[in-house]
Amino acid sequence: MSLLAKHQQPDANGRIQHITPESAGWRFVGFDVYLLKQGQTLTLESGEKELCLVLVAGLASVKTQYADFPDIGKRQSPFERTPPYSVYVPHHDRVEVVADSDLELAVCSAPGQGDLPARLIAPQDVGVEHRGKGRNKRLVHNILPDDKPADSLLVVEVYTDEGDTSSYPSHKHDQEDSPDETYLEETYYHRFQPEQGFAMQRVYTDDRSLDECMAPYNRDVVTVPRGYHPVATLAGYDNYYLNVMAGPVRKWKFTWEKDHAWVNSDDYPVKEK
């Protein structure tokens, strides 16, 4: 089974990506992307899942059974590098999205079982941080981290400049019942500026029983069922990706690959670009 899902032409509902636990061969994470035209309406039932709707680009009005969030959104491109508007939707709910402009909408899903209310996650609610140094720097927007209420979902977006790496040094989160790791499935939704760009992403385990290197292009998705999963950008192209994670324990705990952990230390010389 390939870990790379190429984007498709929009279907009647505008959907270009459709990742389910069944299609990915795992248990928790679902991920969809819709490209909606201005004025188009999308209706979704959450069923047994909780949802996090991320406005990757564009404006929308979002209504659930018990909450109304009109006229949200600000950025017209993720590469404006401002935090997005998002909406959390609990299980057993119904949501209607009206595109107030052309809209790129990501729908993140995972099992839901609590009684949390629907809520707006505004840009000021998103934690912004800079990680790494040298050629291993990235900008991170923590949309739905593990210290904010949800049942299963963890959602974050990451910006990596041309020629830099991210999700690096290589780390993994694939062990259950471990004091050092949590089991978290993960998807990467890639975007590039300019749009014809691509990156290199490798997914691999210590014993190399899984070892796959991919070249995701604009709006492709890489699925990470287990193992390490670094991303390397190429000259000329800045990279954005939206990460969705979920597992049996809603906590992001990971371990570094021993061979490359030194990149986090003072032994890694930072050279001027």
Side-chain angles (χ1 to χ4, degrees), residues 21-52:
E22 292 75 22
S23 68
W26 58 30
R27 294 178 282 162
F28 296 97
V29 171
F31 183 72
D32 295 90
V33 178
Y34 296 84
L35 299 182
L36 303 181
K37 296 297 185 182
Q38 184 175 4
Q40 190 172 353
T41 298
L42 175 68
T43 302
L44 301 169
E45 303 279 349
S46 61
E48 297 297 323
K49 300 180 181 295
E50 62 179 1
L51 309 177
C52 182

Side-chain angles (χ1 to χ4, degrees), residues 131 136 138 156 158 165-175 180-182 184-186 188 201-206 224-231 241 243 245 252-261 264:
R131 295 181 190 162
N136 192 47
R138 57 271 196 211
V156 62
V158 178
T165 57
S166 61
S167 290
Y168 189 78
S170 302
H171 68 274
K172 69 184 184 73
H173 37 73
D174 58 12
Q175 296 298 307
D180 303 314
E181 289 184 39
T182 45
L184 294 169
E185 303 157 356
E186 186 168 18
Y188 280 68
Q201 184 161 16
R202 184 184 179 200
V203 180
Y204 63 103
T205 55
D206 284 313
V224 181
R226 64 188 187 278
Y228 308 104
H229 38 278
V231 176
Y241 53 75
N243 284 139
M245 293 180 282
W252 186 47
K253 295 181 67 176
F254 59 87
T255 57
W256 304 108
E257 186 179 13
K258 293 179 180 179
D259 285 349
H260 309 304
N264 285 323

Side-chain angles (χ1 to χ4, degrees), residues 46-268:
S46 61
E48 297 297 323
K49 300 180 181 295
E50 62 179 1
L51 309 177
C52 182
L53 279 56
V54 180
L55 278 63
V56 177
L59 314 175
S61 294
V62 179
K63 182 183 295 186
T64 71
Q65 292 182 96
Y66 309 106
D68 192 4
F69 309 108
D71 306 318
I72 62 173
K74 183 177 180 181
R75 69 189 192 188
Q76 293 299 317
S77 165
F79 290 99
E80 294 175 22
R81 300 194 181 212
T82 58
Y85 280 81
S86 304
V87 175
Y88 173 84
V89 180
H91 74 323
H92 300 159
D93 206 342
R94 183 174 184 270
V95 59
E96 180 183 87
V97 180
V98 178
D100 296 330
S101 71
D102 287 353
L103 178 67
E104 183 175 0
L105 178 72
V107 179
C108 319
S109 62
Q113 63 275 344
D115 295 314
L116 294 169
R119 72 179 189 275
L120 178 68
I121 304 172
Q124 61 267 28
D125 302 319
V126 175
V128 178
E129 62 177 308
H130 295 267
R131 295 181 190 162
K133 60 182 179 179
R135 294 289 187 177
N136 192 47
K137 292 189 298 188
R138 57 271 196 211
L139 169 66
V140 177
H141 291 160
N142 291 301
I143 298 167
L144 194 56
D146 57 17
D147 61 351
K148 301 295 183 181
D151 295 329
S152 302
L153 280 171
L154 299 165
V155 182
V156 62
E157 59 181 19
V158 178
Y159 296 87
T160 313
D161 291 337
E162 58 164 327
D164 289 347
T165 57
S166 61
S167 290
Y168 189 78
S170 302
H171 68 274
K172 69 184 184 73
H173 37 73
D174 58 12
Q175 296 298 307
E176 297 190 49
D177 302 316
S178 166
D180 303 314
E181 289 184 39
T182 45
Y183 171 87
L184 294 169
E185 303 157 356
E186 186 168 18
T187 55
Y188 280 68
Y189 175 61
H190 285 275
R191 295 279 268 104
F192 294 92
Q193 187 180 48
E195 290 191 352
Q196 71 268 28
F198 67 97
M200 303 303 295
Q201 184 161 16
R202 184 184 179 200
V203 180
Y204 63 103
T205 55
D206 284 313
D207 64 3
R208 304 301 191 263
S209 59
L210 173 63
D211 192 351
E212 187 169 338
C213 190
M214 293 148 283
Y217 280 78
N218 202 42
R219 297 194 170 102
D220 291 346
V221 172
V222 172
T223 59
V224 181
R226 64 188 187 278
Y228 308 104
H229 38 278
V231 176
T233 64
L234 301 181
Y237 300 99
D238 292 337
N239 174 238
Y240 160 97
Y241 53 75
L242 178 67
N243 284 139
V244 183
M245 293 180 282
V249 177
R250 189 173 178 266
K251 182 67 68 173
W252 186 47
K253 295 181 67 176
F254 59 87
T255 57
W256 304 108
E257 186 179 13
K258 293 179 180 179
D259 285 349
H260 309 304
W262 70 273
V263 175
N264 285 323
S265 72
D266 292 336
D267 293 332
Y268 172 52

